Amino acid sequence: MKNTNRYTLSDLCQLIELTPRTVRFYIQKSLLPAPEGSGRGAYYTQVHLERLLEIKKWQDAGLSLERISELFFDESDNKPLPPLKRLKPGDIEVCSHVHIDEGISLTLNPSKAGLTPEQARQLTLDVISLYQRTISNVKENK
């Protein structure tokens, strides 16, 4: 099913918190495709919105527009994923604290670590298992 969302330049800029001048600059630098249609009928799509979000993520990570452009046109299979936005003082981050044993917990942010829920669950089980083996070995060696 094709996404039929259409955005005016003004709507797009409001959603992404950029100025029209910046969006036009990205188009000029080939970081963003030109709008669909022409003149007053020109519109932007979900593809434009997603590309702008990706540009913002890379910029927040400290990359230059030149480097971002290189990444967009990199045809290799090991192209890096856009990083998550750097946290600033006052930002809120949701993490899981998994109780392993008294005084031991695992702090986990699966999305930041790039883990699926299943992988996060497996990591937790592996850490618990490793901890139990370690305690067992210590007791045996006494």
Side-chain angles (χ1 to χ4, degrees), residues 5-118:
N5 286 347
R6 292 182 176 199
Y7 306 99
T8 65
L9 179 58
S10 176
D11 291 340
L12 187 70
C13 290
Q14 240 181 345
L15 283 170
I16 212 74
E17 296 179 347
L18 291 174
T19 65
R21 182 178 178 171
T22 301
V23 172
R24 290 186 189 107
F25 178 75
Y26 291 164
I27 292 168
Q28 178 188 353
K29 293 292 183 183
S30 299
L31 287 166
L32 185 69
E36 303 289 325
S38 61
R40 290 188 160 267
Y43 62 92
Y44 297 84
T45 65
Q46 190 68 26
V47 171
H48 294 94
L49 182 64
E50 289 169 9
R51 175 59 68 98
L52 287 168
L53 287 169
E54 197 170 1
I55 291 169
K56 284 187 82 165
K57 280 185 183 181
W58 283 117
Q59 283 186 309
D60 287 343
L63 273 66
S64 68
L65 289 179
E66 183 179 319
R67 180 65 180 127
I68 294 169
S69 180
E70 289 171 4
L71 291 171
F72 283 154
F73 297 105
D74 181 0
E75 298 298 323
S76 67
D77 289 338
N78 58 351
K79 181 177 170 182
L81 295 174
L84 294 173
K85 185 177 178 183
R86 288 183 185 164
L87 292 178
K88 296 179 214 123
D91 284 352
I92 297 173
E93 181 178 40
V94 178
C95 295
S96 298
H97 295 277
V98 182
H99 177 75
I100 305 298
D101 200 1
E102 194 64 34
I104 300 174
S105 65
L106 172 66
T107 302
L108 187 61
N109 183 332
S111 61
K112 198 170 193 176
L115 298 174
T116 65
E118 294 78 26

